[in-house]
Amino acid sequence: MMNASQERPAARPVVGAVAAPDPTELDRARGLYLGMMQKCLINTIYEDASAWPQPAAPFDATRRRLGNDWPSQAHSMIGQERMFNLRCLCEYAVVHRVPGDFIETGAWRGGASIMMRAVLAAYGIADRRVWVADSFAGLPRPDAERYPLDAGNNLHSAAQLAVSLEEVRGNFSRYDLLDDQVRFLKGWFKDTLHVAPIGALAVLRLDGDMYESTMDALVALYHKVSPGGFIIIDDYVLEMCRAAVEDFRAAQGIREPIQQIDGSGVFWEKQQ
C-alpha cells in the first residue's frame, strides 16, 4: 500500500517560467474543445432551420439529436448521438493505440471527418491521417441491374447532398484543421477506395446510404481495419444499407456483435 507521501503527486515540471499543464487540466481542456466542436458541427448553438423533411422547417432539438433532419447550415447531419459516438471511438483508438488512420466514406459537408481531425488535434497526434472519401457531387445513380435493392432510390437527385470538394475543404479550414493530415479521395467509391494509398485503419466510418456504396467501401477497406478498430455504419436503418452490411458480414464470417447508437447508426469492434 502506498503511504501518504507516495500518493502525493510530484511537482509539475517547469517549462521556461510556466509550469507544464496538469494531466487532469489537459483532459478537461480536451473535453471542452471536443464538446464545443460537436456543438458547432451539428449547430446546436445557433439552431439553424432544417432543409428537410420540410423546406425551412424550424430547428427541432429531437430531430437534431437523432440526426433526422438535413440542416440548412450545420456542417453535419449525423446528429448529436452519432457525433458523440464517433468522437468517443476515435478517442478510444488514440488512447489505446489502435494502429491506423481514420476514414469517412460519404462526407457531405465534412462535419464527421472534421471531428476525426479534431480528435487528432486534441491529442497532439501527428502520425495519423484522416481520409475523406466522397464524389463531392452527390450520390450515384442506382445500378438496379447489379444492385436491385437500390432500384427506385432517388437520392442522386437531391441537390442538397451534392457538396463540392472546395466547400468541404473550406469547412475544414474554418476550424483551422485543414493540413497535410487530411487527405481527400474524390470520385465514386468503386473507382477510388481500392487504389487509395491507405495502410491500416483504426476507424472506418461508412455513410454511403446505398447498397452499392456500402458494399464498395466494405470490400475495399474492411481488411485494413486493425484488430481493436471500429466500423461505423451511419445508415443501417435503411434497408439497402443494412442488407449490404449483413451480406458482407455473412460472406466474411464476421460475428462481432453489432451495437446500436441511436436507432439509425450502428458500430462494431473488429476482433481479428
Side-chain angles (χ1 to χ4, degrees):
M1 178 180 294
M2 296 176 64
N3 59 38
S5 63
Q6 290 174 314
E7 293 175 355
R8 189 180 303 117
R12 283 182 282 163
V14 174
V15 180
V18 181
D22 184 281
T24 302
E25 294 172 0
L26 285 176
D27 287 342
R28 174 173 166 77
R30 287 191 188 106
L32 288 171
Y33 169 66
L34 294 174
M36 183 59 70
M37 285 292 301
Q38 176 171 320
K39 291 177 181 179
C40 290
L41 290 166
I42 63 175
N43 203 10
T44 55
I45 295 178
Y46 297 108
E47 301 184 344
D48 60 317
S50 171
W52 182 88
Q54 297 176 359
F59 175 85
D60 184 304
T62 299
R63 284 188 177 278
R64 193 61 56 91
R65 177 174 64 84
L66 296 174
N68 287 340
D69 67 348
W70 293 1
S72 56
Q73 299 296 324
H75 293 146
S76 177
M77 65 167 70
I78 71 174
Q80 179 176 332
E81 294 193 19
R82 270 173 275 161
M83 185 66 79
F84 183 67
N85 170 264
L86 173 63
R87 167 190 164 186
C88 289
L89 297 185
C90 288
E91 288 192 86
Y92 182 96
V94 168
V95 171
H96 292 270
R97 300 182 180 179
V98 179
D101 295 339
F102 301 158
I103 188 171
E104 180 177 37
T105 62
W108 196 47
R109 294 174 180 158
S113 298
I114 292 170
M115 174 58 81
M116 291 175 163
R117 181 66 187 88
V119 169
L120 298 184
Y123 285 84
I125 303 299
D127 60 352
R128 299 185 195 239
R129 293 173 177 170
V130 173
W131 297 86
V132 188
D134 202 289
S135 70
F136 301 103
L139 274 73
R141 188 178 296 273
D143 183 347
E145 184 174 343
R146 295 184 62 195
Y147 307 104
L149 283 178
D150 285 342
N153 183 290
N154 62 357
L155 287 174
H156 66 281
S157 64
Q160 301 99 319
L161 299 180
V163 182
S164 71
L165 174 57
E166 292 71 22
E167 182 175 342
V168 175
R169 287 177 60 88
N171 290 339
F172 269 88
S173 184
R174 285 181 173 88
Y175 296 94
D176 294 325
L177 292 174
L178 181 64
D179 59 16
D180 60 5
Q181 283 182 252
V182 182
R183 299 298 174 92
F184 297 93
L185 300 172
K186 182 178 180 179
W188 303 125
F189 298 159
K190 63 183 179 181
D191 299 323
T192 62
L193 296 181
H194 69 287
V195 295
I198 299 171
L201 290 169
V203 176
L204 166 60
R205 184 177 192 278
L206 278 62
D207 194 354
D209 294 53
M210 302 168 67
Y211 187 105
E212 177 182 2
S213 301
T214 303
M215 185 61 77
D216 284 345
L218 287 170
V219 169
L221 299 173
Y222 184 83
H223 67 282
K224 297 187 176 185
V225 179
S226 300
F230 298 98
I231 299 86
I232 306 169
I233 312 294
D234 185 83
D235 306 298
Y236 193 74
V237 69
L238 300 178
E239 179 186 6
M240 50 197 173
C241 173
R242 184 170 62 255
V245 172
E246 292 174 352
D247 287 351
F248 181 82
R249 283 170 56 94
Q252 298 295 319
I254 299 168
R255 294 182 173 82
E256 288 93 335
I258 291 176
Q259 302 188 52
Q260 290 286 335
I261 302 171
D262 61 355
S264 177
V266 300
F267 75 97
W268 71 88
E269 181 179 359
K270 187 176 183 181
Q271 299 300 320
Q272 57 183 354

